[in-house]
Amino acid sequence: MEISMLKKNLNEGKFDEKMLEVYSPSALEFQKERHLKVLDTYAELYGENDDVSVFSAPGRTEVGGNHTDHNHGKVLAASINLDTIAAAAKRDDGMIYEKSSGHGMNKVDTNDLEPNEAEFGKSCALIRGMCAGFKKYGYNIGGFNSTGVTQVLSGSGLSSSAAYEVLIGTILNYLYNDGKVSSVDIAKIAQFAENVYFGKPSGLMDQMACSVGGFISIDFKDNSNPVITKADFDFGKTGYSLCIIDTKGSHADLTDEYAAVRGEMEAAASVFGKSVLREVDEAEFYKNIALVREKCGDRAVLRATHFYNENHRVERLKKALAENDFEQFKSIIIESGHSSFMFNQNVFSTKATASQPVSVALCICERVLAGKGAWRVHGGGFAGTIQAFVPDCVLDEFKAEIEAVYGDDSCHILKIRNVGGTKLY
């Protein structure tokens, strides 16, 4: 559909039903303005006469299973209502021109799909990698023009890169494959693109949560073929919001801290002749704690204990959602947070104990939300973000408390989105 007709239909509410699948009613007018700006930008860059469609891919949040995926554990994740959108239309010369707001123009020739180390860390590498992945999986690819904008906050643990990958995959899916590529395949292709073309050895959780949508659990026992289960739960009916709090802590010099979590879990597994903890029988581990202490030290024992308990918690979280028991869900989230603090020990760095912004944020959450909500460290930990499930009736008070300490825009209020990567209109 041409730009002028898309704008007319958008203003007249003809796309409202589809847009309300991914945006809340209160945000609809804001989102329409956002979409209109993207359409205007497309017209400025490429003209007004193309057959344009608009696509959306959400960010994601980790809900349960903190630091378990790297040892083939279980996680619970969910897509959120912050998204990356793009207006796109086919080209017939095999070239992809992609321009995101605030970034330069990416140009990728779909006839040249070899990995290029000079592109590592760049958006064009992800585009090339997504095309190569589609081709590897036997799907069609082709050129397109695209312009987009994102709400997914970079560096906040909400997976802005995975949202971008899924967006590119969704464009290829609908422009060249009639929407027949499964969300699971798009996620796997996105991981391939990030690993091989972008140069980042990521797992599959981020891409899968962004692509599938809603609450999903992932069992990484067979890392090459993870088991994905979507939970049928309507978060919108709980009367809660999901808050991601940016504690403004620095991630500098923390690489070794993140690596040590995985390394110590794998060291504990090696005591039993295994490469990851998922391969070690839990009862056998507990019978041999003295040996693990001797070989790996006490922190490895504690982190392994966290791993086993988190796997059980993911199953309990799934059960709570299936039974629509949000009170039990909140209780397990708090348990998970305590385990991360006490056993996994990824809330602050022992190299700089005077700096504990995540710990302070958790302290504020406990004081304000005790008996009402739930809170835990979010993602890798040590610095960065925490997650809180906050009753809407105290949301303003909670946000004010957080931002009095961490500054304006440090408390991001989100909802869970039930739809993954999609064509909106």
Side-chain angles (χ1 to χ4, degrees):
M1 193 177 295
E2 292 185 359
I3 294 288
S4 59
M5 186 57 69
L6 286 175
K7 291 170 65 176
K8 180 176 184 293
N9 288 343
L10 190 61
N11 282 320
E12 292 177 355
K14 292 183 179 178
F15 301 137
D16 284 7
E17 183 177 354
K18 184 66 176 177
M19 291 185 71
L20 287 170
E21 292 180 9
V22 300
Y23 303 123
S24 65
S26 62
L28 187 58
E29 291 307 313
F30 166 79
Q31 292 296 345
K32 284 184 180 181
E33 288 299 318
R34 181 170 169 248
H35 281 235
L36 288 168
K37 289 178 182 177
V38 167
L39 292 171
D40 284 339
T41 302
Y42 185 98
E44 291 169 7
L45 288 173
Y46 309 113
E48 299 188 3
N49 300 322
D50 290 348
D51 182 13
V52 175
S53 299
V54 174
F55 305 89
S56 166
R60 74 97 184 106
T61 182
E62 171 201 280
V63 179
N66 189 235
H67 273 288
T68 59
D69 59 329
H70 49 60
N71 266 252
H72 295 199
K74 301 177 182 181
V75 300
L76 182 71
S79 58
I80 58 171
N81 63 331
L82 297 182
D83 70 343
T84 299
I85 61 171
K90 283 184 177 182
R91 293 178 62 98
D92 59 10
D93 61 357
M95 289 296 298
I96 292 174
Y97 287 76
E98 188 276 334
K99 173 73 169 67
S100 296
S101 179
H103 299 273
M105 177 71 76
N106 289 302
K107 300 178 183 179
V108 173
D109 185 348
T110 60
N111 295 306
D112 176 14
L113 297 181
E114 289 299 312
N116 181 354
E117 288 191 14
E119 291 183 343
F120 278 13
K122 299 178 181 179
S123 298
C124 57
L126 294 175
I127 298 171
R128 198 180 307 277
M130 290 303 296
C131 291
F134 263 67
K135 198 168 183 179
K136 178 183 176 184
Y137 273 65
Y139 298 123
N140 300 320
I141 61 171
F144 59 83
N145 294 325
S146 172
T147 184
V149 66
T150 188
Q151 290 180 307
V152 185
L153 308 163
S154 179
S156 60
L158 299 177
S159 295
S160 56
S161 61
Y164 180 80
E165 294 154 14
V166 169
L167 181 71
I168 297 300
T170 303
I171 292 171
L172 290 170
N173 187 18
Y174 283 95
L175 292 187
Y176 288 101
N177 296 275
D178 298 321
K180 294 178 181 177
V181 185
S182 73
S183 57
V184 170
D185 276 356
I186 289 176
K188 289 179 178 179
I189 292 168
Q191 183 197 22
F192 164 80
E194 188 156 316
N195 291 174
V196 178
Y197 284 75
F198 194 73
K200 181 180 177 182
S202 69
L204 186 59
M205 178 182 72
D206 296 352
Q207 291 84 357
M208 199 65 74
C210 293
S211 186
V212 175
F215 283 99
I216 63 165
S217 64
I218 311 173
D219 187 339
F220 289 103
K221 184 175 184 179
D222 178 358
N223 208 32
S224 62
N225 190 29
V227 177
I228 299 101
T229 307
K230 185 163 182 172
D232 184 16
F233 181 80
D234 189 351
F235 182 75
K237 294 180 178 178
T238 63
Y240 281 73
S241 290
L242 168 66
C243 293
I244 299 295
I245 295 99
D246 181 2
T247 67
K248 311 294 176 69
S250 172
H251 289 84
D253 300 321
L254 291 176
T255 300
D256 58 338
E257 294 276 21
Y258 297 124
V261 176
R262 177 175 185 166
E264 289 175 13
M265 288 184 184
E266 291 176 352
S270 71
V271 173
F272 302 89
K274 305 296 184 181
S275 58
V276 292
L277 278 173
R278 188 62 182 275
E279 298 172 345
V280 179
D281 179 74
E282 185 176 356
E284 188 71 12
F285 167 79
Y286 286 127
K287 282 195 300 185
N288 289 279
I289 283 180
L291 180 61
V292 178
R293 290 185 69 203
E294 177 188 338
K295 299 285 188 182
C296 309
D298 288 343
R299 194 168 66 172
V301 171
L302 295 172
R303 284 176 163 165
T305 299
H306 168 81
F307 172 87
Y308 289 118
N309 289 340
E310 276 290 273
N311 276 348
H312 293 312
R313 274 188 284 268
V314 168
E315 291 300 321
R316 291 167 57 208
L317 286 166
K318 287 168 57 180
K319 185 172 185 288
L321 291 176
E323 295 176 353
N324 205 33
D325 188 346
F326 197 64
E327 291 303 312
Q328 179 66 6
F329 174 89
K330 291 188 297 176
S331 176
I332 300 165
I333 291 294
I334 293 171
E335 266 185 49
S336 174
H338 287 165
S339 180
S340 290
F341 209 142
M342 292 187 296
F343 301 140
N344 202 43
Q345 298 183 18
N346 63 315
V347 170
F348 64 91
S349 172
T350 56
K351 295 187 295 185
T353 55
S355 176
Q356 297 191 34
V358 173
S359 306
V360 173
L362 293 169
C363 181
I364 296 169
C365 286
E366 184 167 295
R367 178 172 56 80
V368 178
L369 298 178
K372 305 184 189 101
W375 54 94
R376 67 191 282 274
V377 66
H378 183 246
F382 298 107
T385 59
I386 70 167
Q387 175 190 84
F389 291 90
V390 182
D392 290 337
C393 61
V394 299
L395 193 56
D396 291 343
E397 173 193 351
F398 178 79
K399 181 178 172 65
E401 289 263 3
I402 292 295
E403 296 195 342
V405 176
Y406 295 101
D408 293 343
D409 299 321
S410 57
C411 181
H412 305 288
I413 301 170
L414 312 174
K415 297 289 185 181
I416 303 299
R417 163 172 155 167
N418 290 324
V419 178
T422 189
K423 176 182 174 181
L424 287 175
Y425 51 88

